[in-house]
Amino acid sequence: MSDIAAFHTLLQRSPRILAICGAGLSASSGLPTFRGAGGLWRNYESTSLATPGAFGRDPALVWLFYAWRRHVCLQADPNGGHRALAALAKARGSDFLCLTQNVDNLHERAGHPPDTLRHLHGRLFDLKCSKCKKTAYTTDDPLCPALAPASKDFPAGDINPLLDPRSPVPPIPTAELPHCPSCGGIQRPGVVWFGENLDGRMLREVDAWIDAKPVDIVLVIGTSSVVYPAAGYAERARTRNTKVVTVNLDPDTEAAEPGDLVYVGDAAELLPALLA
Ligand code: BV8
Ligand code: ZN
């Protein structure tokens, strides 16, 4: 594993930094990751619920999944990793850009300046109308009476029936799910699902930032780097003389390539030390 002093030397002589963040950054705040231990919800792979098809087939189940994630996120706090990135953003201004795959709002709640943060996969607290596409931000919890089961807390040790595959999913008529106040269409979480395009304008802005001046360091934080196009940024950086620095709990993470600086550990602990 690379030593922290080496990184500090590199950081001092590296004016421009791009960060790519994944679910591992929020893991220490208590938010489940997508793959590995955190990747199951009831007995569903989280990724199997993050698709338009899943929502079309069973909007109530998908809404309960996202309403539960909203609730868990609102109970969580940003960690040292979010705060260290926010501090770097404030120090470096437009020479820093943070691309997060995370849909939680922990970056913002850590004080990350919005102009240096891009949510590649959308935001958990955006509601998007499936019909007119109108999008509204709300942290209401529960979102609506029918989704109240997702906002219940249980004493430590008690099993939340919503998370227990042996307990039936509470049936929710579609009419009782969130609907658009303008056109009456059913609303969905304002996130990018698998098979959906990311925001084209945002991607063009990111490319323009990357191409404007050389990027000195790409930080790859808490991500398995299996999802594209997010995983492509570090790959592209390696073809230029940009240093890729991987921060991951897994010593064998596939996110790192030979030549990267690799820091193994909890991003919540490592980032404050690295970015100090
Ligand atoms: C697209 C939002 C063009 C929702 C997410 C077939 C059909 C269609 C598309 C594809 C296809 N085959 C491939 C694709 C492309 C697809 C893709 O990449 N698939 C992968 C799985 C192969 N991509 C897309 O579909 C994208 N759109 O390409 O559009 C297109 C259109 C149509 C057809 C073709 C192409 C859209 C991708 C966005 C999907 N939405 N999230 C939601 O959140 O519910 S992705 C989801 O995965 C999350 O955003 C998550 O962030 C992301 C990546 O996962 P990670 O963040 O890396 O999390 P993971 O759990 O995997 O890993 C955690 C890591 O942290 C681990 O390495 C672990 O070791 C580490 N860790 C754990 N704890 C800590 C830690 N590290 C540090 N500290 C700790 N404490
Ligand atoms: Zn609408």
Side-chain angles (χ1 to χ4, degrees):
M1 179 162 101
S2 313
D3 75 276
I4 291 190
F7 183 79
H8 286 158
T9 309
L10 177 69
L11 188 64
Q12 265 135 35
R13 60 166 202 266
S14 300
R16 231 160 162 253
I17 298 174
L18 176 68
I20 319 284
C21 303
L25 172 63
S26 299
S28 277
S29 294
L31 304 194
T33 58
F34 266 75
R35 294 161 188 88
L40 272 183
W41 186 76
R42 293 177 63 90
N43 48 4
Y44 297 94
E45 288 284 333
S46 304
T47 48
S48 69
L49 295 169
T51 72
F55 188 70
R57 279 189 300 279
D58 191 344
L61 177 73
V62 172
W63 256 124
L64 281 167
F65 172 55
Y66 281 91
W68 175 76
R69 286 175 62 193
R70 287 168 56 100
H71 180 68
V72 170
C73 183
L74 291 170
Q75 313 284 309
D77 292 312
N79 62 52
H82 298 104
R83 286 194 292 274
L85 286 166
L88 183 67
K90 287 174 188 156
R92 296 293 180 100
S94 61
D95 277 334
F96 175 67
L97 185 59
C98 181
L99 307 182
T100 189
Q101 298 171 92
N102 300 338
V103 293
D104 62 55
N105 62 359
L106 298 181
H107 291 281
E108 291 85 345
R109 286 163 55 196
H112 199 116
D115 55 343
T116 62
L117 178 67
R118 296 289 181 282
H119 279 275
L120 295 178
H121 298 159
R123 300 188 306 179
L124 199 50
F125 296 101
D126 276 342
L127 293 193
K128 187 165 94 175
C129 175
S130 301
K131 218 158 127 197
C132 73
K133 310 301 177 204
K134 263 206 187 107
T135 299
Y137 185 90
T138 171
T139 53
D140 287 354
D141 180 40
L143 257 182
C144 59
L147 291 174
S151 304
K152 279 213 177 77
D153 289 316
F154 292 80
D158 282 16
I159 294 186
N160 177 345
L162 184 65
L163 305 183
D164 180 355
R166 294 161 305 179
S167 308
V169 175
I172 305 174
T174 303
E176 292 176 22
L177 293 172
H179 278 74
C180 175
S182 313
C183 78
I186 184 167
Q187 289 173 310
R188 49 166 283 181
V191 299
V192 180
W193 279 326
F194 288 100
E196 293 187 320
N197 286 308
L198 280 67
D199 177 330
R201 196 165 66 128
M202 175 185 60
L203 294 181
R204 283 189 297 278
E205 269 178 22
V206 169
D207 285 345
W209 185 89
I210 291 172
D211 294 339
K213 286 191 285 184
V215 178
D216 300 290
I217 297 175
V218 170
L219 291 168
V220 180
I221 302 161
T223 179
S224 56
S225 290
V226 297
V227 173
Y228 287 82
Y233 291 107
E235 288 176 352
R236 202 184 334 170
R238 292 191 184 96
T239 64
R240 305 177 180 178
N241 61 345
T242 299
K243 196 66 190 160
V244 176
V245 179
T246 302
V247 174
N248 201 298
L249 196 62
D250 174 1
D252 307 318
T253 176
E254 314 242 314
E257 299 287 339
D260 290 2
L261 277 180
V262 183
Y263 294 90
V264 177
D266 176 1
E269 306 292 326
L270 271 175
L271 285 176
L274 288 169
L275 302 179

